[in-house]
Amino acid sequence: MDVSRTSDPRPFWLAGCPATGDAEQTVTNPHDGRVVGVHSVPTPDQVEQAVAAAHAVRGQAAALPIHVRAEALAHVARRLSERAEEIAQLISAENGKPIFWARGEVGRAVSTFRFGAEEARRFSGDVQRLDTEPAAQGRLAYVSRVPYGPVLAITPFNFPLNLVAHKVAPAIAVGAPIVVKPAPATPLSALVLGEILAETDLPEGVFSVLPVPNDRAASLVEDPRLPVVSFTGSGPVGYSILDSVPRKHVTLELGGNAAAVVLADADLDWAASRVALFSNYQAGQSCIAVQRVIVEDSVADAFTEKLVGAVGGLVTGDPADEKTQVGPLVSEDAAIRVEKWVDEAVAAGARLLAGGTRDGATIAPTVLADVPAGAKVTCEEVFGPVMTVQRVASVDEAFALVNDSRYGLQAGVFTRSLDVAFRANRELEVGGVVIGDVPSYRADQMPYGGVKESGVGREGLRSAMEDLTYEKVMVRTGLTL
């Protein structure tokens, strides 16, 4: 399918309306360099108009009837479903994501907006009787949640539709205007989402999609009319945002070097197939892609053999090919960095069990063993199709290794033991523990986020809606209860 448009440059969305600026930006396919599309870039004056509109409409947005918010979100879910193949092709083209995974992302975005519509209808206030003490006789509290105000959403390239959806859907559900700054490498999916949002009955100003360069983001972050900043991306950028606006409400979904623990009682074939696939899906460009594989010694040889075989069976190549499982990284520069990290580990004594080669922006799925402590491929977030395998003598040692990281997003534990599962939940210093599968599992309705340097706050529709709002209490007096 041809994802180019005869109407290029694509407009951006300013206060719910299409607009063009005085500059254009070209988006290319990281696999073959072909032009995917051209979009217009907002001027500083247009960005100011978008922020001013969000600020001006904040009261109206917060007062929108729930059915209006819910129907807008349901409409987006329906239209994404109707245009699913077109949008999947666009995601694949601008991101380099294999079409198999791109279709999955569109399906998830449909669910995200559907969950948003459902949660909007359930997001009601609570009533609390206060006459538990004599002094409060006749008093009743109505506790509601109120949006802090307009949201600035800064989104990454790796899920250019669904991670935008995870900002937009909860904001609309709670009645908060939102200004989206998509990743410069992959803005087209967000612009299509803006096109669909414009079909709804939301008031002008409730949403804007502004594809501005990263060097213009700071002024948006600092603008006092955007009291909430919701950022998904790298740790250094996220914490620089948090440090720059300490009085704002900032939520950060940052990186990780996710661990998968394979214990002696695990189904080794299942574990090997899942670890192989989910270390390399999205070319490893997921903050919960498997990076560290920790295997109990008694099964390490058998598991590693199965793992290397499963990695060797993955299909790497053109993301437009229906059979491709592993595509390119977002750019050749990103691939060169990953290649350097692998070479550094090998030079320091690591054994290369699979992969390790680069072709343009594509890194062959890579497995490393005997990686020395302190190597970047273990301590940092690779964000590429690279995993390390480490043997341990016990569950104690395995869990200690999981926690020996400054990150704490999610971990996976392959075990059949219920006791070990609950122990993992107690002891692992992460935001989510997945038992019997990889840490890469995420249901879009569940709370999602990390601890330590993996961020603050939670996504997942209900959790994000709570994060964008504060509790407000109205006390009624003189009632007969």
Side-chain angles (χ1 to χ4, degrees):
M1 178 182 291
D2 183 6
V3 296
S4 64
R5 288 166 53 108
T6 58
S7 58
D8 279 340
R10 289 176 183 260
F12 53 87
W13 295 91
L14 195 168
C17 300
T20 55
D22 58 7
E24 296 176 359
Q25 183 67 39
T26 299
V27 178
T28 58
N29 185 313
H31 174 68
D32 54 20
R34 66 185 172 86
V35 173
V36 178
V38 179
H39 68 84
S40 188
V41 178
T43 66
D45 284 346
Q46 289 171 317
V47 171
E48 163 60 28
Q49 292 171 34
V51 175
H55 179 72
V57 81
R58 68 193 189 283
Q60 183 183 357
L64 278 175
I66 286 175
H67 71 87
V68 175
R69 306 178 206 171
E71 180 49 38
L73 295 170
H75 173 84
V76 175
R78 290 192 297 268
R79 293 290 286 137
L80 286 175
S81 182
E82 291 166 1
R83 298 177 61 179
E85 184 62 20
E86 168 205 345
I87 296 171
Q89 294 286 346
L90 181 61
I91 291 170
S92 180
E94 70 171 338
N95 174 275
K97 182 175 299 192
I99 188 62
F100 169 81
W101 297 113
R103 289 181 181 129
E105 180 173 350
V106 177
R108 289 182 59 188
V110 171
S111 295
T112 298
F113 277 99
R114 177 169 54 83
F115 294 146
E118 294 166 355
E119 290 294 348
R121 289 190 165 95
R122 287 193 286 263
F123 204 63
S124 299
D126 296 323
V127 174
Q128 183 178 2
R129 287 183 63 154
L130 302 179
D131 60 343
T132 54
E133 300 294 332
Q137 182 148 343
R139 295 180 186 262
L140 184 101
Y142 170 67
V143 185
S144 59
R145 298 199 70 93
V146 179
Y148 289 107
V151 178
L152 169 62
I154 302 177
T155 60
F157 70 82
N158 56 332
F159 289 85
L161 178 68
N162 196 41
L163 290 186
V164 177
H166 270 285
K167 311 291 188 189
V168 172
I172 291 174
V174 301
I178 185 164
V179 175
V180 178
K181 193 209 88 63
T186 57
L188 302 182
S189 302
L191 294 175
V192 170
L193 183 56
E195 179 183 325
I196 293 173
L197 284 165
E199 299 170 353
T200 70
D201 293 329
L202 293 171
E204 287 189 7
V206 167
F207 76 91
S208 292
V209 182
L210 306 178
V212 297
N214 287 338
D215 61 9
R216 291 174 57 189
S219 61
L220 283 166
V221 169
E222 294 165 3
D223 197 304
R225 295 168 296 178
L226 300 171
V228 179
V229 180
S230 180
F231 172 85
T232 300
S234 73
V237 175
Y239 283 112
S240 71
I241 290 172
L242 188 64
D243 292 342
S244 69
V245 286
R247 290 178 175 81
K248 286 196 175 191
H249 185 77
V250 177
T251 65
L252 303 175
E253 200 279 278
L254 305 177
N257 54 2
V261 176
V262 181
L263 298 177
D265 65 339
D267 180 333
L268 299 187
D269 290 319
W270 165 254
S273 66
R274 297 293 284 178
V275 169
L277 184 60
F278 284 94
S279 176
N280 299 290
Y281 87 123
Q282 324 288 336
Q285 297 171 121
S286 167
C287 47
I288 46 176
V290 179
Q291 183 173 326
R292 298 181 295 148
V293 187
I294 299 167
V295 191
E296 201 163 6
D297 190 68
S298 63
V299 295
D301 289 339
F303 173 77
T304 302
E305 182 179 355
K306 293 175 184 291
L307 176 64
V308 172
V311 169
L314 296 174
V315 179
T316 302
D318 184 348
D321 190 322
E322 300 281 346
K323 297 178 181 178
T324 296
Q325 296 166 292
V326 185
L329 278 73
V330 72
S331 68
E332 187 168 0
D333 285 345
I336 290 170
R337 176 191 58 77
V338 172
E339 180 185 36
K340 287 180 178 177
W341 286 17
V342 172
D343 290 346
E344 287 173 7
V346 172
R351 288 189 297 123
L352 187 64
L353 303 184
T357 58
R358 180 179 66 85
D359 180 9
T362 299
I363 295 282
T366 299
V367 183
L368 296 166
D370 302 330
V371 178
K376 290 178 182 175
V377 292
T378 295
C379 298
E380 305 291 336
E381 181 180 34
V382 175
F383 226 60
V386 177
M387 74 179 97
T388 66
V389 179
Q390 191 164 359
R391 305 166 74 113
V392 293
S394 64
V395 175
D396 290 350
E397 187 180 353
F399 287 2
L401 271 177
V402 174
N403 291 339
D404 186 21
S405 170
R406 69 175 193 267
Y407 300 110
L409 192 48
Q410 293 200 157
V413 181
F414 289 88
T415 182
R416 292 184 173 96
S417 168
L418 189 60
D419 286 342
V420 172
F422 277 97
R423 179 182 172 186
N425 189 59
R426 287 194 308 272
E427 297 182 8
L428 296 183
E429 298 166 355
V430 293
V433 178
V434 183
I435 303 298
D437 206 351
V438 289
S440 320
Y441 177 79
R442 178 183 180 183
D444 291 288
Q445 72 272 35
M446 78 182 193
Y448 175 77
V451 296
K452 299 193 280 190
E453 291 188 28
S454 287
V456 292
R458 289 293 180 269
E459 291 192 342
L461 276 300
R462 178 76 186 196
S463 298
M465 290 164 67
E466 292 176 352
D467 222 349
L468 298 178
T469 57
Y470 62 91
E471 285 187 321
K472 187 172 186 178
V473 180
M474 178 184 72
V475 176
R476 292 295 308 274
T477 305
L479 300 176
T480 302
L481 299 175

